[in-house]
């Protein structure tokens, strides 16, 4: 079932901005929103997504109490902090959730300088996404991560550990493919198969091997699947 949640969304946004300006005006630099990781049937545009604490230990400690989860008509909405340091790492694609920086919109900024600092990070990310040598290096790093995971995986036999390792290997390779296509996964791991299917630069057969993982039921089959995935890359 879908709901018209416009009023609830607006109430949440107004509550948050009022709370910040009255209780945390010296502690919160920014509030951001983006349209990723929203289920199509929710019928709900986010009121907000995350906030950026002012870049001091005192502010970062104080604003932790602002983080919370709201449940509206069985739809969860998280409010959580991302530090400036973490956002700076995202410009170098050091986070799976690149889209929450790349495609975020500013709902609130403490000062024009805070807004400009964030916009400069988005510009730095876009510059890196266009840099062929940089993106190739990032793809290589994620391939290395997948290989490291496989080296550990081959010594395991329980299916729970193997399924987890296989999923992580598929995620690392999906990010590597995204890097080779000068882009990022819009919805992190959620829709990676659909997103990979639309990317032109990928090894033949890689999508099919990833799609097979969920149906494999033996340790040997999962290990073989991951070996062939890595070998294709």
């Amino acid at each position: 079932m879908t709901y018209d949640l416009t009023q609830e969304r607006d109430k949440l946004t107004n509550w948050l901005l009022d709370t910040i300006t009255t209780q945390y005006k010296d502690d919160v630099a920014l509030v951001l929103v983006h349209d990723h990781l929203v289920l199509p049937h929710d019928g709900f545009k986010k009121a907000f997504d995350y906030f950026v604490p002012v870049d001091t230990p005192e502010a970062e400690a104080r604003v932790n109490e602002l983080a919370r989860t709201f449940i509206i008509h069985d739809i969860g909405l998280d409010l959580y902090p991302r530090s400036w340091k973490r956002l700076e790492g995202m410009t170098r694609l050091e986070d799976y959730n690149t889209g929450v920086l790349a495609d975020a919109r500013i709902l609130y900024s403490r000062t024009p300088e805070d807004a400009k600092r964030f916009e400069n990070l988005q510009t730095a990310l876009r510059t890196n996404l266009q840099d062929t040598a940089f993106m190739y290096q990032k793809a290589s790093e994620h391939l290395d991560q997948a290989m490291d995971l496989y080296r550990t995986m081959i010594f395991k036999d329980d299916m729970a550990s193997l399924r987890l390792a296989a999923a992580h290997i598929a995620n690392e390779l999906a990010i590597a493919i995204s890097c080779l296509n000068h882009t990022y996964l819009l919805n992190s791991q959620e829709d990676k198969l659909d997103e990979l299917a639309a990317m032109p630069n990928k090894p033949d057969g890689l999508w099919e091997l990833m799609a097979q993982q969920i149906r494999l039921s033996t340790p040997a089959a999962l290990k073989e699947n991951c070996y062939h995935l890595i070998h294709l890359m």
Side-chain angles (χ1 to χ4, degrees):
M1 181 179 295
T2 61
Y3 302 90
D4 181 2
L5 301 177
T6 303
Q7 289 187 340
E8 286 89 343
R9 180 191 63 206
D10 292 344
K11 287 178 182 178
L12 279 175
T13 302
N14 292 335
W15 166 84
L16 177 59
L17 299 183
D18 181 66
T19 300
I20 288 172
T21 54
T22 57
Q23 300 180 40
Y24 299 97
K25 64 179 180 179
D26 297 322
D27 303 304
V28 174
L30 296 168
V31 177
L32 289 307
V33 67
H34 58 81
D35 298 323
H36 298 314
L37 297 169
V38 176
L39 295 175
H41 60 270
D42 280 352
F44 184 57
K45 291 288 187 180
K46 290 182 179 179
F48 41 71
D49 189 58
Y50 64 97
F51 59 91
V52 183
V54 172
D55 205 2
T56 66
E58 295 79 13
E60 290 183 0
R62 175 168 155 74
V63 296
N64 281 335
E65 63 193 42
L66 185 59
R68 63 199 67 192
T69 296
F70 301 87
I71 305 295
I72 301 174
H73 295 299
D74 298 323
I75 299 170
L77 177 65
D78 295 327
L79 173 64
Y80 62 97
R82 284 182 181 266
S83 67
W84 284 111
K85 182 178 180 180
R86 185 175 179 188
L87 291 174
E88 288 162 1
M90 294 178 77
T91 69
R92 301 183 293 272
L93 285 89
E94 295 172 359
D95 190 300
Y96 282 4
N97 300 308
T98 305
V100 307
L101 170 63
D103 304 316
R105 304 183 300 277
I106 297 174
L107 286 178
Y108 163 86
S109 64
R110 182 182 59 124
T111 66
E113 290 76 18
D114 290 323
K116 184 63 176 175
R117 181 178 178 183
F118 183 81
E119 290 163 357
N120 286 342
L121 293 179
Q122 291 182 312
T123 299
L125 173 59
R126 287 193 293 269
T127 298
N128 283 335
L129 287 168
Q130 295 168 6
D131 186 330
T132 299
F134 177 84
M135 295 303 287
Y136 188 88
Q137 176 61 35
K138 298 306 296 186
S140 296
E141 290 173 9
H142 286 288
L143 175 57
D144 287 343
Q145 289 288 334
M147 294 174 71
D148 286 342
L149 286 164
Y150 181 74
R151 291 186 188 102
T152 301
M153 177 189 190
I154 58 176
F155 294 103
K156 295 183 180 295
D157 292 307
D158 65 289
M159 287 299 292
S161 295
L162 289 171
R163 288 194 184 283
L164 183 61
H168 282 306
I169 287 170
N171 287 338
E172 292 293 343
L173 296 181
I175 296 169
I177 292 296
S178 300
C179 290
L180 293 177
N181 285 274
H182 293 257
T183 188
Y184 48 89
L185 296 174
L186 295 178
N187 284 321
S188 186
Q189 302 96 329
E190 296 299 315
D191 301 316
K192 67 173 180 284
L193 288 179
D194 290 337
E195 293 188 40
L196 287 174
M199 294 182 190
N201 187 16
K202 59 181 179 292
D204 291 338
L206 182 130
W207 187 95
E208 290 79 6
L209 282 172
M210 285 190 181
Q212 287 173 9
Q213 278 192 354
I214 193 66
R215 299 192 299 272
L216 300 176
S217 59
T218 67
L222 273 174
K223 292 175 185 180
E224 183 179 11
N225 174 274
C226 290
Y227 170 82
H228 286 301
L229 277 172
I230 293 169
H231 188 262
L232 278 179
M233 285 295 291

